Amino acid sequence: MTDHQAANAAKTIAVLGTGKIGEALLSGMIRGGRRPADLLVTARRTERAEELRTRYGVESVTNAEAAKRADTLILTVKPQDMAKLLEELTPHLPTGASPLIISGAAGIPTSFFEERLAPNTPVVRVMTNTPALVDEAMSVISGGSHATPADLAHAEEIFGGVGKTLRVPESQQDAATALSGSGPAYFYFLVEAMTDAGILLGLPRAQAHDLIVQAAIGAAVMLRDSGEHPVKLREAVTSPAGTTINAIRELENHGVRAALISALEAARNRSRELASGTG
Ligand SMILES: NC(=O)c1ccc[n+]([C@@H]2O[C@H](COP(=O)([O-])OP(=O)(O)OC[C@H]3O[C@@H](n4cnc5c(N)ncnc54)[C@H](OP(=O)(O)O)[C@@H]3O)[C@@H](O)[C@H]2O)c1
């Protein structure tokens, strides 16, 4: 453990608005060795608070209490609930050293927090994705004006418990949202369409689904582990005058490559609109 990791390990971390993403992070931190006694959670409903308490042995507190006690606050409410959460928190934050604020909310810029919090409050923004629920997240991390390298490393450690992390300048967060934030949905869409194709070719739906899902998993692992460029991997499946090249010709004829480029550009543009509050 480095000095920096040791310092972070001693900190109290609170997850505020512990829903799906918040719970994934909580369980990742506990599996990573953090003591439940050093973790606090908040929830809107008492049943949810009780569920988290019994499942993880963590203390469930109010947002005000978390603001008073935690060194790091991870905010994982939905974007539309963030302003209200901040109103509940800000009167209770210590006046001396500000805790680190880590926001996991899609599309909310660090300036939104900095405008509402005491001057010099360190804020880190993270865009993760739903595979956080199975420890295969891609979490894209950017620091606000007062976030230090140690604050970014702390956020990386927390989100690293549920997958991979990448630091980018905040100006690239909208592009990252289009690629990895929304990314899983494009793959689900492809699986759905390819399963329909399997049905057209006469396979039962369940079998078609299994064939495509396993092909997707195999391809994903090859992409991640072989270090090969996707073109090389595709060429290895594309023999002269074979089946694959006939399929590829159809994909090109239907402009699938251009459609994907436009689709991700549209997602980036929408993320930009939402972040600027013009959406
Ligand atoms: N799911 C995704 O695809 C995804 C991907 C990347 C990023 N994110 C971001 O992650 C964040 C969380 O998403 P999620 O899917 O985990 O949402 P979620 O399951 O709805 O979790 C949010 C939780 O916050 C609770 N909450 C709302 N206001 C609160 C308050 N004032 N005090 C305490 N608790 C409060 C909600 O309570 P109730 O149960 O009563 O509503 C809910 O349990 C969002 O900002 C989203 O943008 C989500």
Side-chain angles (χ1 to χ4, degrees):
M1 200 185 262
T2 63
D3 288 352
H4 168 67
Q5 283 168 331
N8 281 334
K11 286 181 173 168
T12 299
I13 300 177
V15 182
L16 284 78
T18 319
K20 291 183 285 297
I21 296 288
E23 183 173 353
L25 290 173
L26 180 71
S27 97
M29 286 190 278
I30 292 172
R31 279 179 283 123
R34 213 167 273 278
R35 295 184 318 143
D38 296 330
L39 296 166
L40 302 172
V41 292
T42 82
R44 193 155 48 183
R45 289 167 295 110
T46 42
E47 321 85 83
R48 177 65 177 155
E50 183 54 24
E51 188 175 67
L52 292 163
R53 202 183 61 72
T54 45
R55 198 173 289 166
Y56 299 100
V58 291
E59 189 180 351
S60 169
V61 295
T62 60
N63 291 322
E65 187 71 16
K68 283 181 207 154
R69 287 173 50 189
D71 304 293
T72 301
L73 302 175
I74 309 175
L75 314 185
T76 52
V77 297
K78 293 276 190 202
Q80 63 271 23
D81 293 325
M82 195 56 89
K84 182 159 180 296
L85 176 64
L86 287 181
E87 275 171 28
E88 289 173 35
L89 283 185
T90 39
H92 306 282
L93 288 167
T95 42
S98 304
L100 168 63
I101 306 291
I102 301 178
S103 164
I108 303 187
T110 53
S111 58
F112 178 91
F113 299 92
E114 290 170 351
E115 282 158 15
R116 288 163 177 80
L117 295 163
N120 301 323
T121 302
V123 180
V124 173
R125 169 180 172 185
V126 185
M127 179 65 204
T128 187
N129 61 9
T130 49
L133 305 176
V134 293
D135 292 348
E136 289 290 354
M138 183 68 244
S139 300
V140 181
I141 296 178
S142 306
S145 324
H146 312 295
T148 63
D151 294 331
L152 287 164
H154 189 31
E156 273 171 353
E157 185 212 323
I158 292 167
F159 281 81
V162 293
K164 284 186 79 162
T165 62
L166 177 73
R167 279 190 210 186
V168 301
E170 192 167 6
S171 58
Q172 290 176 6
Q173 277 280 356
D174 295 315
T177 300
L179 266 73
S180 59
S182 301
Y186 315 143
F187 291 103
Y188 302 140
F189 180 84
L190 287 176
V191 167
E192 197 190 319
M194 289 161 86
T195 302
D196 277 351
I199 293 166
L200 180 79
L201 303 183
L203 294 171
R205 174 171 291 279
Q207 270 183 18
H209 174 85
D210 286 353
L211 294 182
I212 292 300
V213 169
Q214 186 54 27
I217 293 169
V221 174
M222 294 278 284
L223 279 165
R224 187 186 60 190
D225 295 351
S226 70
E228 288 284 12
H229 192 282
V231 169
K232 275 249 177 259
L233 293 171
R234 181 167 66 74
E235 278 174 354
V237 196
T238 314
S239 44
T243 56
T244 311
I245 192 63
N246 276 278
I248 299 286
R249 181 183 56 183
E250 287 304 310
L251 291 172
E252 297 291 12
N253 278 344
H254 287 86
V256 172
R257 184 186 301 264
L260 284 169
I261 292 171
S262 299
L264 269 69
E265 190 181 31
R268 190 279 314 267
N269 293 346
R270 181 62 183 145
S271 176
R272 229 179 228 174
E273 273 172 20
L274 291 172
S276 67
T278 59

